[in-house]
Amino acid sequence: MNALDTKINAAFPGLVVRKDLVKAVKGNAIVPTYVLEYLLGQYCATSDEASIQSGIETVKEILRKHYVHRNEAGLVRSNVREKGRYKVIDKISVALNDKNDAYEAEFANLGIKKVVVDSGTVKSHPKLLVAGVWCIADVEYEHTEDKAVSPWILGTLKPIQLSHFDYEAYLKARQEFTTDEWIDLLIQSIGFDPEMFGKRSKLIQLMRLIPFVERNYNLIELGPKGTGKSHIYSEFSPHGILISGGEVTVPKLFVNNQSGKLGLVGYWDVVAFDEFAGRQKRVDKSLVDIMKNYMANKTFSRGVETLGAEASMVFVGNTKHNVPYMLKHTDLFEELPEKYYDSAFIDRLHAYIPGWEVDVIRGEMFSDGYGFVVDYLAEILRHLRSDDYSDRYKDLFRLSSDISTRDRDGINKTFSGLMKILFPGGGASQEETEELLRLSIEGRKRVKDQLMRIDTTYPDIDFSYFAVGDRKIAVTTLEEDEYPTYYRRRAAAQQEGQAESQEEVVSGNSVPSASKAESVLPDAREGHRVFSENQKGVSFDLLFGPYVRGARKITLTDPYIRLFYQVRNLMEFIETVVKHKAPEDEVDIHLVTARDDLKADQQKANLLSIEESCLGSGVNFSWEFDGTGTIHARHIVTDKGWKISLDRGLDIFQHYEMNDAFSLSNRLQQFRSAKGFEVTYMRLG
């Protein structure tokens, strides 16, 4: 275990589990993660390896004996009959048989129906009436000659979810972690390795949890396939349900006026719509109207009666086009079904998660570290739903008066959710509070800016806030910084078919898109540039090309050219120099770095390989280890009089698939997500 895992086990004994164990026990059991972790939490919530291995075998044995596979349902039914009573793990739903005036259960995998359930069980677990609940249940078999009576009897039933927890102990343990440690614990809890994500990417992942901790929170995430958009809503919590966007009806979601039966919003904390995107999808307009009313007012009608509910609504779907295409030709909501492509519906969304900033999930991203048993964290988040943290920035910051009430509500609910997740007991610094406030404003701004493109009657809004001393701070979205020309187009310009007349310019945080990189390289000039985390379109060509052009000698000082990916960055820098020098010229590139005490031989071998590969290329590569062992600054100096100061050196890219020869992010830097970094260009002499 690393230091964080040791700390996690000490602070939350018996409440955390090693996250790679789920794969170890799952086999071919098609069950949600929270079901498996519920069992792992009973037997493997420890750091003792022997106990873990014993617990794994116990959980496997429980699954082998009691989890019902559909193709083995006949065998399990036989076991129930022969033994008279048998324990099963299955998804159980209950319906009222009004002819017999009795509740009857149906077992999804076991394949039995009309199992009589007493009304007390239904009252204790009302979710059984809607969509079903994973349970551990004792099923009995008692044959009778009366064909009208089912031989199946439900003995005991226990939903798979935590029965109790100590919230005060949770708050006390939270104080033992720094903010970064706590974020990493939460990222590991949802199954990911925090080392594979930057700070912004981690916060975006955690934004997906806000619907579990905030009542009536309306969230949308659209982005490429395979980024794990729906995973949390199907696997993370017994209080959320994921349904296909095409399966939604008014009776299923809200109320059946004929039977009076409440729909999903009456029983679940979170209702998520999977595969929500699709322009041509058929949608019932009456459903959209009821949805809009519920999202705005938290109520819906059952005949003459008006009912309230607390379920948060989440909409996740895939986009077909990349961000610059959508910004140039349509908008970021282009994939919504036609009847949902409606300004009144969109305006009720509190935040838009930029799904295109989330990497496609790869095997290396999953964690083998310790995280909360997800059921425990799910109960903590549910407990926090009754609290309101939306005012916790108001002593430090105030929103612009230009921000409307609906925009303000969206910002406040997102901020409240993030504060509950990260700082449930308070204690956020001014900088941490500001970071969450900016992210909350950005989430709502993304909704409103696109809404203004769709409906020209919406006025421009100044999404800014004021710090102490009335210092005004404007908030922009990352895609606004990357593609300013396309982002700020309004619907009127699109309708009139106005052509783009302005080229993208390298200015501030913005960089040219990959397709224009070659044609718009800027002239070399002094200045300072700041790049945001997850920004794309960044490359060594754009950063260094104009400054190394014509140089005969270049010295790179970077103490962190040690690991393989760092040496690869060095090789790509050399490629940039080769591309920008004249064929007849030669360039001397000299590296000053620090020795890797752990893998010095491998580091030396890699640098010698680069030296050899440069032979005959017009580049003479040399290197040395700093003898003082004190270098920290990272910079590039050329004999053309330029010094480029790099706060991260060449290490500006987030993790990407380096072994996939067919990945564009592997072949072209412009397709990689950047880390947050700064560059300063200075003239010497």
Side-chain angles (χ1 to χ4, degrees):
M1 294 192 298
N2 60 28
L4 178 60
D5 286 336
T6 301
K7 192 171 185 177
I8 290 170
N9 273 278
F12 295 98
L15 297 170
V16 294
V17 68
R18 218 175 70 205
K19 287 298 169 171
D20 59 331
L21 299 185
V22 172
K23 289 184 180 178
V25 302
K26 188 164 189 175
N28 61 347
I30 307 173
V31 294
T33 298
Y34 67 81
V35 174
L36 296 175
E37 289 202 12
Y38 175 85
L39 297 173
L40 289 169
Q42 308 296 308
Y43 302 98
C44 301
T46 176
S47 58
D48 179 68
E49 189 62 31
S51 299
I52 288 174
Q53 293 307 316
S54 174
I56 288 175
E57 294 307 314
T58 301
V59 173
K60 284 183 176 179
E61 184 68 7
I62 291 172
L63 289 172
R64 186 184 67 79
K65 283 185 175 181
H66 303 294
Y67 171 73
V68 181
H69 294 272
R70 289 180 187 271
N71 58 350
E72 296 178 354
L75 177 61
V76 178
R77 290 196 297 267
S78 175
N79 284 336
V80 179
R81 179 184 182 278
E82 296 303 321
K83 296 182 179 181
R85 184 184 183 94
Y86 196 75
K87 190 182 296 292
V88 300
I89 298 174
D90 202 350
K91 190 175 184 179
I92 302 173
S93 56
V94 173
L96 174 65
N97 185 331
D98 51 6
K99 293 182 180 178
N100 298 337
D101 190 30
Y103 290 105
E104 296 175 344
E106 177 178 349
F107 288 65
N109 291 348
L110 189 56
I112 59 176
K113 302 179 180 180
K114 298 186 177 180
V115 183
V116 177
V117 183
D118 66 89
S119 59
T121 298
V122 176
K123 288 179 181 177
S124 299
H125 310 293
K127 286 183 185 176
L128 290 166
L129 293 166
V130 185
V133 176
W134 282 93
C135 303
I136 297 175
D138 286 311
V139 183
E140 302 174 10
Y141 184 90
E142 188 175 303
H143 180 69
T144 175
E145 296 297 332
D146 188 350
K147 294 184 178 180
V149 177
S150 171
W152 304 103
I153 301 169
L154 181 63
T156 61
L157 177 148
K158 185 179 186 305
I160 293 178
Q161 58 191 78
L162 198 69
S163 58
H164 66 278
F165 62 92
D166 187 340
Y167 179 63
E168 293 304 318
Y170 175 82
L171 292 182
K172 185 177 179 181
R174 164 65 182 94
Q175 295 173 3
E176 299 179 23
F177 293 80
T178 66
T179 302
D180 288 340
E181 287 174 338
W182 187 252
I183 290 173
D184 286 354
L185 167 54
L186 293 173
I187 292 297
Q188 288 187 177
S189 296
I190 60 180
F192 292 125
D193 180 356
E195 292 297 319
M196 302 298 296
F197 299 87
K199 178 74 172 293
R200 177 179 170 88
S201 295
K202 292 174 188 177
L203 292 176
I204 287 175
Q205 290 284 348
L206 296 181
M207 283 183 73
R208 293 171 169 174
L209 299 180
I210 297 177
F212 292 101
V213 79
E214 278 291 313
R215 294 171 175 165
N216 300 102
Y217 184 72
N218 307 319
L219 179 69
I220 191 166
E221 179 177 355
L222 302 176
K225 294 179 181 178
T227 56
K229 292 185 288 294
S230 60
H231 169 78
I232 278 182
Y233 308 109
S234 63
E235 301 282 322
F236 178 76
S237 170
H239 305 303
I241 185 169
L242 180 73
I243 58 177
S244 171
E247 297 176 357
V248 186
T249 62
V250 172
K252 183 173 184 177
L253 190 58
F254 293 104
V255 66
N256 187 321
N257 282 331
Q258 292 183 338
S259 66
K261 182 179 177 181
L262 277 178
L264 298 173
V265 298
Y267 296 92
W268 297 89
D269 291 348
V270 179
V271 179
F273 300 82
D274 195 14
E275 300 174 353
F276 184 70
R279 196 68 172 167
Q280 305 305 318
K281 283 189 176 179
R282 298 179 62 183
V283 179
D284 181 1
K285 188 177 185 307
S286 62
L287 171 64
V288 180
D289 292 338
I290 295 175
M291 181 98 73
K292 287 190 290 190
N293 183 65
Y294 173 75
M295 290 167 67
N297 305 314
K298 309 168 190 174
T299 60
F300 56 94
S301 297
R302 177 167 67 180
V304 296
E305 184 182 9
T306 299
L307 301 175
E310 298 179 356
S312 295
M313 309 292 270
V314 179
F315 308 92
V316 295
N318 297 327
T319 52
K320 291 181 180 178
H321 302 115
N322 63 22
V323 172
Y325 180 95
M326 290 188 285
L327 291 177
K328 181 175 181 179
H329 298 285
T330 53
D331 54 76
L332 299 180
F333 286 107
E334 69 166 11
E335 291 298 328
L336 290 190
E338 188 175 354
K339 288 189 171 60
Y340 283 107
Y341 191 76
D342 171 85
S343 58
F345 169 77
I346 292 172
D347 200 17
R348 285 157 170 77
L349 297 169
H350 294 121
Y352 186 148
I353 292 179
W356 48 86
E357 288 191 40
V358 183
D359 269 350
V360 173
I361 303 302
R362 307 186 300 272
E364 65 193 63
M365 291 181 170
F366 294 108
S367 174
D368 59 2
Y370 282 81
F372 290 121
V373 176
V374 291
D375 191 43
Y376 169 71
L377 182 56
E379 294 303 320
I380 292 291
L381 297 183
R382 189 178 202 219
H383 176 81
L384 284 163
R385 283 173 73 86
S386 58
D387 296 335
D388 181 10
Y389 287 22
S390 61
D391 63 347
R392 296 204 171 187
Y393 67 86
K394 294 183 180 178
D395 290 340
L396 300 169
F397 308 100
R398 62 181 174 85
L399 298 179
S400 165
S401 59
D402 195 38
I403 297 176
S404 69
T405 300
R406 182 165 282 173
D407 295 328
R408 196 174 295 264
D409 288 345
I411 293 166
N412 286 342
K413 286 183 76 69
T414 301
F415 177 81
S416 175
L418 287 171
M419 287 294 287
K420 290 178 191 178
I421 293 167
L422 296 181
F423 303 99
S429 68
Q430 180 171 332
E431 292 76 15
E432 291 165 339
T433 301
E434 184 172 16
E435 182 177 30
L436 299 188
L437 179 61
R438 288 183 66 90
L439 191 61
S440 303
I441 296 173
E442 182 186 333
R444 176 58 188 177
K445 184 179 190 296
R446 186 171 289 108
V447 173
K448 198 58 175 282
D449 285 354
Q450 300 310 302
L451 194 56
M452 291 189 294
R453 296 163 67 98
I454 294 168
D455 187 339
T456 56
T457 63
Y458 282 89
D460 285 320
I461 301 294
D462 177 17
F463 280 94
S464 60
Y465 62 96
F466 293 86
V468 176
D470 270 358
R471 179 169 58 92
K472 184 176 180 180
I473 304 161
V475 175
T476 58
T477 66
L478 180 55
E479 59 272 18
E480 182 176 5
D481 292 336
E482 288 183 295
Y483 312 105
T485 303
Y486 299 152
Y487 192 90
R488 295 173 187 136
R489 297 175 71 210
R490 294 294 298 266
Q494 293 178 356
Q495 292 165 1
E496 294 167 8
Q498 294 181 0
E500 293 292 336
S501 59
Q502 182 181 354
E503 286 287 345
E504 289 178 288
V505 178
V506 178
S507 176
N509 290 356
S510 63
V511 299
S513 60
S515 61
K516 294 186 178 181
E518 294 297 328
S519 62
V520 292
L521 281 178
D523 294 328
R525 60 179 183 269
E526 289 189 295
H528 181 75
R529 297 172 64 189
V530 179
F531 293 85
S532 303
E533 184 181 324
N534 289 351
Q535 190 164 340
K536 292 185 178 180
V538 184
S539 72
F540 288 172
D541 285 349
L542 290 166
L543 292 174
F544 309 130
Y547 300 88
V548 301
R549 189 179 294 139
R552 296 292 189 273
K553 184 174 182 178
I554 300 170
T555 301
L556 167 64
T557 302
D558 188 338
Y560 294 100
I561 305 294
R562 306 179 184 183
L563 303 177
F564 175 78
Y565 79 90
Q566 294 168 336
V567 179
R568 175 172 164 148
N569 287 338
L570 169 64
M571 189 66 202
E572 291 183 332
F573 172 73
I574 293 172
E575 291 172 8
T576 293
V577 175
V578 171
K579 282 189 283 186
H580 290 87
K581 79 174 190 67
E584 67 275 12
D585 291 340
E586 289 194 348
V587 182
D588 295 332
I589 300 178
H590 184 67
L591 169 69
V592 181
T593 190
R595 185 189 302 273
D596 186 343
D597 293 333
L598 297 177
K599 297 182 178 180
D601 290 343
Q602 185 61 59
Q603 180 189 24
K604 184 176 179 180
N606 288 336
L607 293 174
L608 286 172
S609 294
I610 291 181
E611 185 177 332
E612 185 177 346
S613 73
C614 288
L615 296 175
S617 67
V619 168
N620 303 310
F621 175 69
S622 60
W623 52 276
E624 65 175 292
F625 290 135
D626 173 57
T628 66
T630 59
I631 60 168
H632 298 288
R634 308 177 203 185
H635 49 73
I636 298 168
V637 177
T638 78
D639 62 351
K640 296 289 286 184
W642 285 108
K643 180 177 181 179
I644 307 170
S645 181
L646 309 162
D647 67 336
R648 283 189 176 274
L650 299 181
D651 187 10
I652 65 170
F653 298 112
Q654 295 186 37
H655 289 277
Y656 59 94
E657 184 51 76
M658 296 178 66
N659 296 320
D660 185 356
F662 305 107
S663 167
L664 281 173
S665 61
N666 185 5
R667 310 302 300 173
L668 295 171
Q669 292 179 330
Q670 292 94 329
F671 287 91
R672 301 172 195 168
S673 294
K675 299 177 179 178
F677 70 98
E678 299 182 14
V679 182
T680 303
Y681 303 95
M682 296 172 285
R683 273 284 188 189
L684 298 176

